[in-house]
Amino acid sequence: MKVFATAASLRKASINRKLINLAADIMRAEGHEVDLADFHEFDMPIYDGDLQDAEGVPAGAVELARRVNEADACVISVPEYNFSIPGLLKNAIDWVSRLDPNPFTDRTVRLISASPARVGGNRGLWPTRIPFECVGAWLYPGMFSLAQAFQEFNEDGTLKDPALNERLVFALKDYLSVTAAFNAR
Ligand SMILES: Cc1cc2nc3c(=O)[nH]c(=O)nc-3n(C[C@H](O)[C@H](O)[C@H](O)COP(=O)(O)O)c2cc1C
């Protein structure tokens, strides 16, 4: 299966980038092709209806849509901002939603998160589900969040805790097997 994977953060040292890098390694080891994107590739201004009328949907949003369209599955690592979705991702979903057809419609999406908080980033994943649901994506029900993420990675990008690593492997494998069945229906 071809999987589109990205982290909704622009930070070089992003813990969500680390988590999606690890997720990509796990999925590749399972035999999947992974298109691992840096969100800088989807650079776009804040949504402005006048800008859309004058210039159309910006190239970064068109590129994001193209990459999602080319994939069979979609895994996004999302930081929690103020218990919610980061503006970067909400803005991207808003711009992409001006395209017809919407690339997320009738496509499965797996959300994961890394957070420095003890409780992890699941509070932010709940509201992140809403705009994806609005555009017709099928959100995998489980949410994986890596809590206290700054302490959890080894130098080589693997997880220190084997039990957590097992949970992440299951989180991805189960999502991809459900997606294979979903896409074959
Ligand atoms: C505007 C803003 C709001 C944040 N709100 C939360 C929050 O509600 N919960 C949380 O666990 N961390 C919060 N954080 C901390 C982020 O989880 C932390 O900066 C994390 O490293 C961001 O992800 P990244 O490393 O992938 O960029 C917030 C950070 C910023 C900049």
Side-chain angles (χ1 to χ4, degrees), residues 29 32 40 47 55-57 77 86 99 127 136 144 155 158 160-161 164:
H32 300 285
H40 282 102
Y47 180 79
E55 298 176 22
V57 174
S77 192
L99 296 170
F144 176 92
E155 282 291 306
T158 57
K160 289 179 184 166
D161 180 349
L164 265 180

Side-chain angles (χ1 to χ4, degrees), residues 74-76 104 107-111 132 137-140 175:
C74 190
V75 181
I76 308 178
F104 290 108
R107 187 177 302 275
T108 69
V109 175
R110 208 320 168 192
L111 299 177
F132 279 116
W138 289 64
L139 278 292
Y140 181 86
Y175 163 64

Side-chain angles (χ1 to χ4, degrees), residues 6-11 13-20 39 76-90 111-117 120-128 144-146 149-150:
T6 193
S9 172
L10 299 173
R11 264 170 25 88
S14 160
I15 45 180
N16 286 277
R17 187 193 300 272
K18 278 189 173 175
L19 184 60
I20 202 68
F39 223 89
I76 308 178
S77 192
V78 185
E80 176 176 297
Y81 276 9
N82 298 311
F83 296 4
S84 191
I85 181 172
L88 177 77
L89 181 58
K90 179 62 164 60
L111 299 177
I112 58 177
S113 179
S115 160
N122 279 349
R123 289 169 305 194
L125 294 187
W126 282 112
T128 302
F144 176 92
S145 180
L146 184 66
F150 286 111

Side-chain angles (χ1 to χ4, degrees), residues 25-85:
D25 288 345
I26 291 168
M27 293 188 285
R28 285 179 180 136
E30 292 290 325
H32 300 285
E33 184 188 344
V34 180
D35 174 15
L36 180 57
D38 181 326
F39 223 89
H40 282 102
E41 295 175 68
F42 312 125
D43 188 39
M44 64 190 86
I46 291 291
Y47 180 79
D48 174 343
D50 292 337
L51 189 63
Q52 184 191 345
D53 289 345
E55 298 176 22
V57 174
V62 172
E63 175 62 6
L64 173 59
R66 185 183 73 78
R67 303 278 279 278
V68 170
N69 261 326
E70 280 187 351
D72 306 302
C74 190
V75 181
I76 308 178
S77 192
V78 185
E80 176 176 297
Y81 276 9
N82 298 311
F83 296 4
S84 191
I85 181 172

